[in-house]
Amino acid sequence: MNYHLNEHKTGYSNLLIAIFLTILTVVTRVPFVSKYLFEWDSVNFALSFNKYDIAMQQPQSPGYILYVYLGKVVNSIFHDPNTTMVFISIIFSILTVLLVYFLAKQMLSQKIAIISTLLLIFSPIFWFYGEIATIYPVESFLAVLIVYTSYQILRGKTRFIYISALTLGIAGGFRQELIIFMLPLWLYCLHHHFKDIRRLSTSFIIFIVSIMLWAVPTVLFAGGLKSYMVSSGHFAASFKTTSAFFGAAPTTHILMDTALLSWLILGVGFVTAIILVFFLLKKWKTILNFEMVKNPIFMILLLWILPELLFQIFIPLSKPGYILTYLPALLIIAGYAFNFLSSDLSRKFSVSPKSILGCLLIITIILNGVYFLYPYHFNSEETWETPVSQMNESQKIELGIDMLAMYNYEKIYKNDKNTEMHIQTILELSNSDPGSTMVVVRDITREDQGFSWRKSSYYLPASDNYYFLDYENSQFKSAKMTSNVSVFYEKNDQISGFENETVVIPVNSSIKRIVWIMSDKSEFFKEVQSKIGLKVINLPNGLKIYYSDINGTDMNVKINNFIFKTSQT
C-alpha cells in the first residue's frame, strides 16, 4: 500500500516538475526568437524544405535527411522555414531539458536533476541556439536520448538493447557524427551482455538496418555514392583552415582551441565554470583513481564527453553549437558539484546546505540571464565586412571577443536588423523590381551577422545574386585562391558555379544597377570605384551598401579577374 502511495507521489512530483521546466523553457525562449534566418546553414536548410539537393547545398553535406523531412512536415503548418526551424529548436530544447531531468534523477538524485536542468535552461549557449533556425538543439536531444536508452541497459531493462540500437542508428539521419561519437558509450553499456549472442546479434542488425533506412535514400537523392562523396568533400577540406594536423597554421589551431574553451565556459555559465574547477581540484584524486572505471555512471559521463571533446581539440570546429552534444553531461556533473559545494560550505559556515545551494543557483541564473539579455554594444559592426588583414589591433580584439564570447540575444537582434536593412535597402534601390538589380557579395568576416550571398539569394530570389572569391578574400576557405577566381550565381533557385583564371559576369540589358556588399578597404573596392563608379548608402549600424547605376550602359570592364560584360537577353 505504502509502495503504491509513494509511487503515486513520485509520479505526481515528476509531472509538476516537468510542467514547471517546460513553462520555464518556453517563457525564456519565445520572446527572443530570431525573425530571420540566422546564418548560411539556416538558409541551406530552408531551401531544402522545398527541394532536397545536397549538390546544391540544400542542405549542406552530409545531408541531415531526417531533420530536413521533419522540417518539411512542420513547414506544411507554418509555411515559413525560419518559423519552422525556430519552433523545432524550442520543442527540442524542451525535450532535452525534460530528458536530462529524468536521466540525472535516475543516475544521481532528484535534487541534482533539478539543479542540472536549471543550469541547462539558462546556459547561454543552449539558450542562444534555442532561439534560432539551427539543428543543434535536435542534436543535443538525440545525444541525451542515446545516453538515456543506453543507460537503461545497465539498469537491467534488456529490451533497451534493441531500443538503444534503433535510437543510435536513427540519430545518424539527423547528424551522422552522433553515431561516431556516441558509439563507444553504447558499446560500453552493451558489454555486460557480451555472452548473450542472440540479443547482441539482433541489436547490431537493428542498428545497421536503422542506418540504412536514412543512408540509402540520402545517397540515392545525391545521385549515387560517387556524387555524394564529391558533395561531402568540402566538410573534410574545412579542417585545413582550423587544424594544424591538416595544414592550418599552429597559431590558428591554438586560436580555435581558445574559442572552444570560451564556448565551454559560456556553455556551462561563468559561475558554474568556477564551481566545476573548484570541484575538480577538490576531487581530482578520486576522479583519477583507477577504481572509478568500475563506476558505470562515471564511465557513461566520461564516454559521453570525451570522444567529441577530443575531436574538437585536435580538429577544431567553427561553431559553439557543436558542444551541445555533450553540454548536458557537463551540466549533470555541475549539478553534482553544486550539491557537493553547498554541503561542503554548510559544514564550514554553519549555514543550511539548501540556503547555500539556493544562493548559488540564484546568482548563476541571474548572471547568465544578464549576460544573455543585456544589450552589449562594445563591437563595431563595420568590422564584420572588413578583412582581418586590414583591421587594426583594437578591431581584431573586438572581433575576437565577439566571435569567442558573444552569443546572446543582442547578437540575434543585430542579425535580424542587418538582414532586414539590407533587404529593404536593396528593394528600395530596385524600385520593387528585383530583376533590375544585380547583387554582388564579397566574402565577409562575419557571414552570420553580415549579409551573405546565401541570404541575398534566399530573400531576393528574383535578383541576379553573385558571390565572388579571389586571392584577396578567400583566406577562411579550405583552399585559398591564388591565380584563379571563383564565382557562385543564383537566381530563382537556380545555382551555378565557376572557377577559372578569369570569369565573365554577364550583365543583362535589363540590369539598371549593381549593388555591392564589400569592404571599402579592399583592392577590389578601389577597382570598382575607379572603373565603374560607386554611390554609398550608410546604414544606421555603421555598415555601408555600395551601388553603381549602369542603366543599360554597354559594359566590358575587368575588375580583378572578373569581367563584367553586357549581354543581350
Side-chain angles (χ1 to χ4, degrees):
M1 180 69 176
N2 287 336
Y3 170 78
H4 290 295
L5 184 61
N6 289 335
E7 190 178 54
H8 177 74
K9 286 182 178 179
T10 301
Y12 185 67
S13 171
N14 285 335
L15 177 62
L16 288 178
I17 291 170
I19 292 172
F20 169 73
L21 294 174
T22 299
I23 293 172
L24 188 58
T25 306
V26 170
V27 298
T28 53
R29 268 50 176 185
V30 172
F32 310 109
V33 297
S34 59
K35 307 301 188 295
Y36 289 89
L37 295 167
F38 184 77
E39 58 188 356
W40 189 287
D41 290 353
S42 305
V43 179
N44 289 347
F45 282 121
L47 293 169
S48 72
F49 296 163
N50 182 49
K51 181 182 179 182
Y52 185 85
D53 191 332
I54 300 174
M56 293 175 63
Q57 297 289 295
Q58 297 180 199
Q60 65 279 11
S61 61
Y64 314 102
I65 190 168
L66 295 185
Y67 177 77
V68 170
Y69 278 85
L70 171 64
K72 283 177 179 282
V73 172
V74 179
N75 198 49
S76 67
I77 301 170
F78 291 112
H79 303 290
D80 176 71
N82 185 67
T83 303
T84 290
M85 285 187 278
V86 170
F87 176 80
I88 291 172
S89 293
I90 293 174
I91 292 299
F92 277 89
S93 295
I94 295 167
L95 293 175
T96 304
V97 167
L98 294 178
L99 199 57
V100 166
Y101 167 75
F102 287 105
L103 176 64
K105 183 173 180 288
Q106 289 179 4
M107 282 183 162
L108 298 166
S109 70
Q110 187 177 59
K111 182 199 290 187
I112 293 173
I114 293 171
I115 298 168
S116 301
T117 50
L118 288 174
L119 295 176
L120 181 61
I121 289 171
F122 290 97
S123 156
I125 295 293
F126 186 70
W127 195 347
F128 178 84
Y129 280 101
E131 305 284 12
I132 64 175
T134 182
I135 195 173
Y136 297 112
V138 178
E139 181 180 12
S140 188
F141 168 75
L142 289 169
V144 181
L145 185 62
I146 292 166
V147 177
Y148 181 86
T149 55
S150 300
Y151 180 60
Q152 303 313 306
I153 301 171
L154 296 184
R155 297 182 71 214
K157 298 182 179 182
T158 53
R159 70 180 183 278
F160 277 89
I161 293 175
Y162 311 129
I163 296 172
S164 62
L166 180 65
T167 302
L168 181 62
I170 291 296
F174 288 88
R175 282 192 75 89
Q176 292 180 11
E177 58 265 35
L178 279 171
I179 293 177
I180 299 170
F181 295 130
M182 304 303 291
L183 185 63
L185 184 150
W186 182 62
L187 293 175
Y188 168 78
C189 292
L190 284 181
H191 86 278
H192 291 293
H193 298 270
F194 71 94
K195 293 182 181 179
D196 195 337
I197 302 300
R198 183 183 63 83
R199 279 201 176 98
L200 286 181
S201 299
T202 304
S203 70
F204 276 102
I205 290 171
I206 292 171
F207 175 53
I208 297 301
V209 170
S210 62
I211 292 175
M212 298 300 288
L213 288 174
W214 57 262
V216 171
T218 299
V219 172
L220 290 176
F221 287 152
L225 185 59
K226 184 177 179 180
S227 297
Y228 178 73
M229 296 304 292
V230 170
S231 299
S232 302
H234 85 282
F235 183 72
S238 67
F239 299 158
K240 297 177 183 178
T241 64
T242 58
S243 174
F245 298 98
F246 285 81
T251 52
T252 302
H253 192 129
I254 293 170
L255 177 63
M256 293 306 298
D257 279 345
T258 303
L260 174 62
L261 177 61
S262 72
W263 297 336
L264 288 171
I265 293 171
L266 284 179
V268 299
F270 303 107
V271 174
T272 306
I274 294 170
I275 290 174
L276 278 172
V277 170
F278 172 83
F279 174 73
L280 291 173
L281 291 175
K282 192 87 172 177
K283 306 289 287 185
W284 69 270
K285 289 183 180 180
T286 303
I287 294 169
L288 294 180
N289 190 328
F290 186 74
E291 291 296 311
M292 287 297 289
V293 299
K294 297 178 182 179
N295 184 325
I297 294 174
F298 173 82
M299 288 303 297
I300 283 177
L301 292 171
L302 184 68
L303 292 172
W304 187 353
I305 297 168
L306 211 54
E308 187 159 5
L309 177 59
L310 288 175
F311 179 85
Q312 291 173 5
I313 291 171
F314 293 109
I315 315 291
L317 298 171
S318 57
K319 292 181 187 178
Y322 290 106
I323 74 168
L324 292 191
T325 304
Y326 55 88
L327 179 63
L330 293 174
L331 293 176
I332 289 173
I333 296 171
Y336 184 88
F338 267 74
N339 193 49
F340 169 82
L341 180 62
S342 60
S343 298
D344 191 53
L345 292 175
S346 172
R347 290 190 293 270
K348 290 181 179 180
F349 298 106
S350 299
V351 181
S352 71
K354 286 185 178 180
S355 299
I356 295 173
L357 180 59
C359 287
L360 289 175
L361 279 175
I362 290 170
I363 292 170
T364 301
I365 290 170
I366 289 174
L367 289 180
N368 285 0
V370 168
Y371 166 83
F372 187 80
L373 297 175
Y374 186 79
Y376 299 96
H377 192 73
F378 69 91
N379 59 318
S380 303
E381 286 93 330
E382 59 264 24
T383 63
W384 295 343
E385 295 182 4
T386 301
V388 175
S389 59
Q390 299 289 330
M391 292 182 184
N392 58 41
E393 289 304 313
S394 64
Q395 288 175 327
K396 288 179 180 178
I397 292 170
E398 289 170 351
L399 178 67
I401 293 173
D402 186 55
M403 296 183 74
L404 269 63
M406 288 293 110
Y407 288 89
N408 54 10
Y409 174 63
E410 183 70 5
K411 195 165 196 161
I412 297 169
Y413 174 76
K414 285 180 179 178
N415 179 18
D416 284 343
K417 292 300 293 182
N418 271 306
T419 303
E420 183 178 50
M421 282 190 294
H422 278 80
I423 294 168
Q424 288 181 351
T425 302
I426 295 171
L427 285 175
E428 286 171 6
L429 282 172
S430 306
N431 295 317
S432 299
D433 179 17
S436 67
T437 300
M438 175 188 292
V439 181
V440 176
V441 181
R442 294 273 285 168
D443 202 16
I444 56 177
T445 304
R446 297 303 315 276
E447 286 182 338
D448 56 348
Q449 291 179 319
F451 191 65
S452 68
W453 168 72
R454 211 53 169 150
K455 287 185 182 180
S456 178
S457 300
Y458 183 81
Y459 288 110
L460 301 165
S463 294
D464 291 309
N465 291 284
Y466 284 93
Y467 181 35
F468 285 4
L469 286 168
D470 53 46
Y471 72 93
E472 191 179 21
N473 71 333
S474 59
Q475 65 266 33
F476 292 123
K477 301 303 173 185
S478 57
K480 181 174 170 60
M481 294 287 170
T482 53
S483 58
N484 283 359
V485 294
S486 177
V487 170
F488 293 91
Y489 169 78
E490 184 168 2
K491 182 177 183 178
N492 294 325
D493 298 329
Q494 300 299 312
I495 298 178
S496 57
F498 312 93
E499 181 179 336
N500 211 329
E501 189 173 337
T502 60
V503 176
V504 174
I505 310 300
V507 182
N508 298 332
S509 56
S510 60
I511 299 296
K512 296 180 180 179
R513 70 200 55 79
I514 303 174
V515 173
W516 311 89
I517 309 298
M518 60 181 175
S519 167
D520 59 2
K521 311 215 172 24
S522 64
E523 291 300 318
F524 182 88
F525 172 88
K526 295 175 183 177
E527 284 199 58
V528 174
Q529 190 174 42
S530 64
K531 295 180 180 180
I532 300 179
L534 287 173
K535 296 180 180 179
V536 62
I537 297 174
N538 294 300
L539 300 181
N541 61 357
L543 290 173
K544 298 175 182 179
I545 292 180
Y546 302 96
Y547 68 99
S548 304
D549 283 323
I550 57 175
N551 293 316
T553 303
D554 192 25
M555 297 189 70
N556 190 1
V557 180
K558 186 178 181 182
I559 306 293
N560 196 329
N561 283 344
F562 306 97
I563 301 172
F564 292 80
K565 192 170 185 178
T566 301
S567 65
Q568 299 300 320
T569 57

